[in-house]
Amino acid sequence: MEIRYQDTHRFTESELERLFLSVDWSSGHFSDKLCVAMKNFDFVFSAYDGERLVGMICVMDDGIMNAYVHYLLVDPEYHGKKIGRTLVEKVKERYKNYLRIAVIAYDKELKFYENCGFEKSKDSSAMFITSLWT
């Protein structure tokens, strides 16, 4: 297995559906919308095993100060292979001159993000208006 990393905004509906549903994210049921969303992100970096999409990170930014990691997902079959950490490092390099890189992490993922250099806020909480169930 040799993982290839690529900066791309173009995906097929089926590869996005497969990757998102592999981590049980309900967004995978809206693969047509995900294809459009990927084109609109400022930065999308992906991991491939051959032709198989096995991970991705998607970032929105304001062009100078703040970057927000919206999606980071790795196919569970590829967990433990440092794909997620490599994708975060690509973001940290891309946004090294920004004042803030933010992420909203699920509680079970806090340790991963802390190991990547993120710090949990002591005085703020994420809030949502959403119809997604994950």
Side-chain angles (χ1 to χ4, degrees), residues 5-16:
Y5 295 91
Q6 182 177 333
D7 180 355
T8 184
H9 287 77
R10 301 207 179 276
F11 302 92
T12 66
E13 287 185 31
S14 62
E15 65 186 347
L16 291 175

Side-chain angles (χ1 to χ4, degrees), residues 26 30 129-134:
S26 60
F30 306 96
I129 297 173
T130 183
S131 59
L132 293 174
W133 52 93
T134 59

Side-chain angles (χ1 to χ4, degrees), residues 45-71:
F45 218 81
S46 304
Y48 289 88
D49 182 6
E51 295 300 311
R52 184 177 181 182
L53 178 64
V54 297
M56 70 169 17
I57 195 164
C58 306
V59 181
M60 297 180 279
D61 68 71
D62 62 13
I64 193 162
M65 291 181 12
N66 298 289
Y68 166 62
V69 176
H70 185 71
Y71 290 129

Side-chain angles (χ1 to χ4, degrees), residues 4 11 14 25 27 29 33 42 51 59 61 82 93-95 104 118 129 134:
R4 174 177 47 91
F11 302 92
S14 62
W25 285 6
S27 335
H29 295 288
K33 293 180 186 295
D42 297 301
E51 295 300 311
V59 181
D61 68 71
K82 300 193 179 190
E93 176 61 27
R94 165 81 180 242
Y95 293 102
I104 296 174
F118 289 87
I129 297 173
T134 59

Side-chain angles (χ1 to χ4, degrees), residues 62-91:
D62 62 13
I64 193 162
M65 291 181 12
N66 298 289
Y68 166 62
V69 176
H70 185 71
Y71 290 129
L72 171 58
L73 49 148
V74 175
D75 183 318
E77 291 181 31
Y78 292 81
H79 284 185
K81 301 187 184 315
K82 300 193 179 190
I83 294 170
R85 181 176 294 276
T86 300
L87 292 169
V88 169
E89 289 302 318
K90 301 283 186 191
V91 168

